[in-house]
Amino acid sequence: MPTVAITGAAGAIGSVTAETFEDAGWDLALLDYGADNRATLDTTFPDALIYDCDLTDADAARDAFRSIGEAGALDAVLAIAGGFAMQPAAEATMDDYRHMIDINVRTLFNTARAALPVLTEQDESFLLGVSAPAAVNGQAGAALYGASKGAVAGYVKSLDKEYADDGVRATVLYPMGVVDTPANREAMPDADPAGWVAPRELADGMLHLATRSSRGHVRELKVHATG
């Protein structure tokens, strides 16, 4: 069976994605940060490899993926870990800047650097990063978020070109709207989530992307809700 590593696996998108890949017959290596998240993953996915890993720490990321590689072949990495924050552009601080870069870019950078030596052991493998509409169109009140997600997109697209000869396909996923998560429902109680992007649709899209061959590679996928 193929193996997928998923970062941010205890989150609303990551957990649904893990379920989707498990149902499709994949073995799971799940990474998230903190004892509570690890306990949740241990309970929900008892057959998976579980890692409590701070992906802003390059050594921790390297150790986790070295362990995954020692357990067997790694076929796909879904770098879902990340976060969102809003602040007026001119009032944003260096701490705001560092936070957005750390959780969206640094986590991806450390994940890719740690995972690529394992992925390239396969004839074909796959890596995915998650961007956002703000990276494409901008977003008032979220300039740093948009900039960090733009960096995610540029980095993943570059990996796709750099590692093509090594059999690694890399894709940028764009959830083109608000994702229907418990946190977003709590933050926007008066909004209608029927017009939001469903995590299950994102997960199904990632499964489709991960199972393409080099002859059917999708470099970017934008997932919209119709509402």
Side-chain angles (χ1 to χ4, degrees), residues 22-189:
E22 185 176 54
D23 289 345
W26 289 60
D27 289 331
L28 305 178
L30 306 178
L31 299 86
D32 215 310
Y33 184 51
D36 288 346
N37 285 331
R38 170 156 196 158
T40 297
L41 292 173
D42 280 333
T43 300
T44 309
F45 302 100
D47 296 326
L49 298 173
I50 308 295
Y51 297 88
D52 179 355
C53 182
D54 178 2
L55 292 172
T56 66
D57 182 331
D59 290 337
R62 192 175 298 110
D63 289 345
F65 279 94
R66 183 182 297 116
S67 174
I68 293 169
E70 290 171 351
L74 179 62
D75 301 277
V77 174
L78 310 177
I80 298 174
F84 173 78
M86 295 187 70
Q87 62 280 124
E91 298 174 16
T93 67
M94 285 304 300
D95 284 343
D96 294 328
Y97 167 80
R98 281 188 289 267
H99 179 61
M100 280 290 96
I101 294 300
D102 277 353
I103 63 174
N104 289 323
V105 184
R106 191 173 179 181
T107 55
L108 171 65
F109 176 62
N110 286 338
T111 295
R113 285 200 303 166
L116 282 166
V118 188
L119 289 173
T120 53
E121 293 178 0
Q122 300 287 82
D123 291 335
E124 288 195 356
S125 58
F126 178 71
L127 185 146
L128 175 138
V130 181
S131 189
V136 180
N137 303 315
Q139 181 176 342
L144 288 178
Y145 172 72
S148 68
K149 287 299 191 178
V152 166
Y155 185 70
V156 172
K157 290 176 184 179
S158 297
L159 291 180
D160 187 56
K161 295 179 182 298
E162 185 171 342
Y163 283 88
D165 290 344
D166 296 297
V168 180
R169 296 170 290 107
T171 296
V172 184
L173 175 69
Y174 296 87
M176 297 300 291
V178 177
V179 180
D180 189 2
T181 66
N184 284 334
R185 288 196 179 213
E186 183 177 352
M188 295 175 276

